[in-house]
Every structure is written in C-alpha cells, then in structure tokens.
Amino acid sequence: MWYHKPAINEELLQSLPNLKVVASSGVGIDHLDLKLLSSYGVKVANTPFVVSIDTADMGMALLLASSRRLVEGHEMAVSPETEYFPADWLGVEVSGATLGIVGMGVIGYKVAERAKAFEMKILYHNRNQRKKEEESAVGAVYCKKIDYLLQQSDFVLLAVNLTPQTHKLIGKRELELMKPTATLINISRGLVVDQDALVEALQNKVIKAAALDVTYPEPLPRDHPLLKMKNVIITPHIGSATKKTRWVMMEEMVESIQAGLAGLPVPREVL
Amino acid sequence: MFRSKALSLLKLIPLMSGQSNLAYKFIHPVIACHGHRCHRSVIYKQWYRTRPHSAGRRTISAGTKVMAQGELPGVLILDIGGTHGVLEDLAALLKKHFHLITMKEFLGNKEEMSKKIQSVFVFECRPTIDRELLESLPNLKVIGNSGVGVDHLDLKMISSFGVKVTNTPNAVADPTADIGMALMLASARRLVEGCQIAVSPDTKYFAVDWLGVEVSRATLGIIGMGSIGYKVAQRARAFNMRILYHNRNRRRKEEEEAVGAHYCAKMEDLLQQSDFVMLVVNLTPETHKLIGRKELGLMKPTATLINISRGAVIDQDALVEALRNKVIRAAALDVTYPEPLPRDHPLLNLNNVIITPHIGTATVQAIHMMAEEAIANILAVLNDQPIPSEVFPK
C-alpha cells in the first residue's frame, strides 16, 4: 500500500480469500481499519523508523522557511515586478527562540536534536515524560499541560500520530493560547488541527503564521482559504519524500510481506 | 573577541566634554580606574555592557545619558524610512547617541552640517562613500557599517582620509547561519516547488514519484570557516551531516572536533566529495569568482550550491550553464550580482534555483543588534577607546 492506496474496505477483503499481509508505506496507519483487518486474519505492517529522520528534517525546513519568509522572499526575488529589495522586509529569528514540540516520539525527539543546535529553548508535551537523560541531551523541558507549552512557544510543532485522542487536538482554544507572534508547524496529520479554526486564527492574526506538510484532505480543494494566505506555507505531504528513504521503505515493506507469506513473525507488524 | 565572557562588564566614567576632546578611560573590574573632571557643563555618562538579548544571546550596547545640555556627535545617514532609508526605530536608537543628519539635510546646508558630521552610519550599503563625500566632511572620524561585509567600501581610499571603518560581525552570525541552513533544507526538499504545487489552481492530486534529496547524513562542504561558517557547521552537525571545510587557515583541533569537521587543504577535494557546497567567505579580490566553470565541473551532478556570501564569489554565467546542463543538481542563493538581478536573467526562471532577496540578517532582532553594534563601534572611535570591530585595508 503506497500513499494509502488501494483503499482497504470490507468488499476488497471479502474478495481476496488468500490475503495474508498488508504492508503500508510510512508510519501512519490512521487510514487503516485495524479491527476489520484483524477480523479477516490479515497482518498489517508499516515502516515506522525509516521515515523519522527525513520527517524531522522537513519539520526544521518548514520552521526555518516560515520564520524567514523564504517562499515569499523567493517570489519577490524572481517576480517580474520587482525593482528593488525593500529595507523594511523582515522575518523573525530562529536561533534562541522557543520551540514547543507536541508529541515527543521518535520524530519529535529528532526535531529536538536539530533545534538544539540552533540554541532554541525546547518545551515538549507528550503522553508520557521522557527519561531524564533523554531530556537533558536536548535540553527539553516537559510540559504536563499543553497549555503552558502553547503560551510560551514561538514555534509550535505537531509530531503526534492521528488517533481519536489527537483528532482536532489544536482547535480554537489552543490557537488562542498561542502567542500572536507564534507559528504553527504541522508534520503529523491534517486532522490533528481544526482547519476551520486555523483559518479563522490566521485571518484574525491570533497567530502569526502556519507551515503545513499535511492537510485534510490532500490536496485541499482549490478554493480553500489556506491556499491564498501569504503567511501560510503548504507542502504536498513530502515528509519522507527522498530517494534513499523511499527505497528503504520499499525494502522494508517487501521484507514484511515475505515474512508474512512464509508464516514467520512479521517485522514492523502493527498490532 | 569582544563577546568573550571575560569582558562581562565594561564601565566608563564620565570625563568628557564637547566633541573633540574626549578622554574616556574604560574600566574593567580588575583595573583601577581614574578619571578627571571636565570643566565644561557637559557631562556624559557612558557605559558599555553585555546584556542577555531577548533571543538569549549576548549583545553589546552603549547607553548614553546626557546630563546637561550639549551637542551630540553628528552621524550622517541616507534617509529615514522610504525605500532605502534607515528603519524608523533604528533612527530612534541612533538619536539617543547622535545628532542625526540625513543626506538631504546635509546637502541642503553643507557649510554648517559638514563640520558636525563625525560619523556615517552605512545601512544596506547606503549612503555611497566616495571621494567627493569624504572631501566634504572634514571632521569625519569613522564609518560605522551595519553588517559584516565591507566589499562596497573602498577601504584604502577611506583610510587615506584618516577615517576608520567598523563592521558588525557579532550580530550577523546566527541569522546568516540560519538562512544558510534554511536554503539548504528548502533546496534539498524542493520546498518552494512543493509549495507552488500545493497551492496551484491546476493541482488535482499529489504525485507519488515526486522526490527530493536527504540532508541528514549527507556531506556538507563549507567554503569559508569564519564565525558564520562555524555556526553553520554547529547546526549541520545536529543533522548528522559529514562536514568538510576549506579555509585560508586550518582551525584548531578542538574546534574541528567540536563540530566533526574535516579540513580540506585543497578546495577541489571538498568540491568532489560534497552533496551540498556552502559559500561563507567574504568578498575580496582573492574570492572573486572563486566558483567558476572548473569548480562547478568538479562538483557531483547530484550536488547543490548554496551561497550566503556575496554574488560575485560565483561566476554567474558559469552557474547558469552548469544548472542548465545538469552539471550540478540545484542552487540556492541569498546573494546575487547585482541585487536584484535584471528581470530577464536566466537564473530567475530555472525551477531548480531558489533565490532569496539578501535576507541573511533580515530579522527584527538582527537589525537591531546590528545597529547597536555599529553604534558601539562608532562611539568607541569617537571616545578614543578600543574599537570592537575595526576593519583595515589589506
């Protein structure tokens, strides 16, 4: 299964009596009905760790691009109308700013490792607190309540998986808790954010900007307000889109399928 | 280095009078101080201190309180606001320490104004410092440049008038290193192209075979390992990049080990091995067209060239050719020659090129820090104190 296709539904499962394994590319499995698949005795495998590094890199790419207004700047630099570069055209500093990571799993932690080198102050919110050594290695401070993280951060980065608990995790209330100078970065799933609330928050300058590798749906309808906002960067879900990583993902999926067909324990099985 | 922690507090005791008879002693905690009272009614209390900046970094600032009536030293600027003028809040900062004179005011009343101008605050390379201007400013002592590059200033000529030149190396380092990283990541992951696809009215779906290249664990070759280059290395290390560097001089072993950087005495070796080549040199006759056809030919066909130094460090025509013929994969440039490029320049239309409008220090915080650093430098010259960052002609 590549990019969530083909869609797995009851009809398909009924028509494939010998189906043993579904190997899904990437780490997210929110597009799969695990209970349904299990009821047909089909094993599911994903590719969790291989995507982590590239996705963390993408998170940093979006953070830097948004803070320094890179896309806007490029458009100005190449626009046929540009006659000079104005002196009062400014972005905001990343070095020394505060980054709040919501979801400190493998990906979130790798973002923290990178952000530390920019001398960023790192706050994180997670279901569970990380071990002390892990926290000190990146200088991350645990926020048991997401509110505190939202209030203190200059950049809020979402790196959770999509579950019923994280659905619309960031809504009107959370956006209003954020600083008016803050930027929201999403490298998790579009549905983690209440998109309508986000549009409103951006329009009313409740927050300063957003950078989204994921939306709901993908792509967004062509008349969606997010597409026209100057302070929004959207990328087409390319968190793991590099040659090397995609190759390794394929290798891992093939390995999982082969194990499943041979009746052996399936590597990276999702239970 | 001015930013060293040893100089955590510099105090100056007031001694001064008027414009031309400044005698300050600066007091270091371990040095005994003495001062002498001046006879004039003008007393300045000045101090230099490093203080934690809002972004967590130390900065140098100068504070002045005019305790009695008197004249502040004159500083010439191009203009306040407008397309190329000094930003309004920077002008306000300058006014605390100087009598601000715009070019218009100066030209409108040359006789009177010319004597008052002891310094020039050069912001975004303006005003232009030429022989004519220098000849008309008899009391000019210092040109304080906002920014670290001084390739737009004729240092020899300025020096021949007995005028000093200062720049702002501390304020620019972090934001410029950040922009280098931003460009490298954006180019590798095709961020600008991706954004255009994501918002284009014609997009119906996201193609699955649309790929970029990795940054983490790739090889970064840094050409020019000064303050900015070193900060780039510190950042790149966190991405587990393999770091090569080429510099006039080799860095100390501890410095290399701290960022895992390998020295390449020959630039060719660096070019051949790097996935990303980042230019962080200053522009001098030696670095002019440092990267030309030969150098581009030595780079990997999968490599990306990133320029955060000066446009003229690259042979731009050779770059266009190399990009068109896929000699290298892509380029990301914060600087070009000229800026902006002519609107029909081929670089503007290549989809594997990202260009940003020279925004290496274009952050709210950096602009202020540069002004503060320039002010501190100017005041040091006018007050006969050690100058934090003077630039000398070769």
Side-chain angles (χ1 to χ4, degrees), chain A residues 68 79 93 95 222 239, chain B residues 189 200 216 235 343 359 363:
Chain A
R68 304 302 290 271
S79 159
E93 200 85 15
S95 284
R222 296 295 88 187
Chain B
R189 305 303 293 270
S200 160
S216 278
R235 285 148 176 71
R343 296 295 89 186
I359 49 175
T363 71

